[in-house]
Amino acid sequence: MIKQFISRIPPQVLLLLVAIIGYWQIALLHNSLKWDMIDVVLPWRYYVSEALQNNYLPLWNPYQQMGYPIYADLQYPFWYLEQLIIGYTIGYNNYTLHFLFIFYIWLGGCGMYRLSSFLKVGKSAAFYAGIVYMLAGFMVGHVQSFTLIVGAAWVPHVVVQYMKLIKGNSFRHLPAAALFLFLLITGGYQ
């Protein structure tokens, strides 16, 4: 009975539940993100979101390191779509970073599930590959480095689209491959 119920749930929903359970202290706001997430990522994103909400393009950050061009630091993803959308609408705060962290962990797990399914491993193996990717030491060890988490979330999607582009021997997969590559390059700089 329970197996039948679980088999009806889409794997992406189950992966989200695993991400929430695996990172429950962050997902349920029991503990805060630390180090670079709070003293580097949050101030940059907060500053740019305030600027965007006040309708000016922040080309210069006067509040850190005695001022510098915002584009001088590649860890700051100004042209990343998530930054522009959230920055212009709701803005960034500690809660936003917590939920975005869980979102990108989940997105990486879904990407690895998608990649494994594309490589025609079994559904169970693809699901476990997604879980392993979300809970891997790289993800846990780089909680403070948001650009690495974002980059790791997009890598499986880029690989799938690249493989579809090569295997299909046509250009119909090119727009999706370009989009995922753009998201990877602008969101995760390393």
Side-chain angles (χ1 to χ4, degrees):
M1 176 103 167
I2 294 175
K3 272 188 165 181
Q4 291 175 343
F5 175 73
I6 290 175
S7 67
R8 292 181 183 171
I9 300 173
Q12 291 82 3
V13 174
L14 292 174
L15 287 172
L16 179 61
L17 291 174
V18 170
I20 291 171
I21 292 168
Y23 297 95
W24 69 271
Q25 293 177 331
I26 295 171
L28 302 178
L29 306 174
H30 185 270
N31 288 333
S32 178
L33 294 166
K34 297 180 181 181
W35 302 301
D36 285 357
M37 287 288 266
I38 297 302
D39 60 5
V40 176
V41 175
L42 182 59
W44 287 340
R45 289 179 181 242
Y46 182 81
Y47 168 69
V48 170
S49 66
E50 288 292 311
L52 290 174
Q53 289 175 6
N54 288 304
N55 296 318
Y56 74 91
L57 190 63
L59 299 176
W60 183 264
N61 184 352
Y63 299 113
Q64 289 184 320
Q65 301 168 354
M66 298 177 61
Y68 65 92
I70 202 77
Y71 301 104
D73 192 341
L74 294 176
Q75 289 191 67
Y76 184 77
F78 184 76
W79 296 113
Y80 186 49
L81 294 178
E82 168 245 306
Q83 165 64 47
L84 295 172
I85 293 168
I86 291 179
Y88 192 72
T89 56
I90 61 173
Y92 284 92
N93 57 34
N94 201 11
Y95 300 116
T96 311
L97 283 182
H98 280 73
F99 294 124
L100 283 173
F101 173 78
I102 296 298
F103 170 75
Y104 283 114
I105 292 292
W106 170 75
L107 189 67
C110 289
M112 189 53 69
Y113 173 79
R114 186 173 167 231
L115 176 60
S116 300
S117 296
F118 180 77
L119 295 174
K120 296 189 181 3
V121 300
K123 284 194 174 226
S124 296
F127 178 70
Y128 290 126
I131 290 174
V132 168
Y133 194 73
M134 288 189 311
L135 303 178
F138 178 84
M139 298 294 201
V140 174
H142 288 90
V143 170
Q144 71 168 340
S145 180
F146 201 56
T147 56
L148 290 176
I149 297 296
V150 171
W154 290 118
V155 165
H157 297 282
V158 169
V159 172
V160 168
Q161 289 307 128
Y162 181 70
M163 292 174 77
K164 283 183 178 181
L165 187 65
I166 290 174
K167 194 173 191 177
N169 205 13
S170 72
F171 290 111
R172 71 181 184 145
H173 297 289
L174 188 60
L179 173 67
F180 284 123
L181 190 60
F182 173 76
L183 292 171
L184 173 65
I185 290 172
T186 59
Y189 91 98
Q190 279 102 338

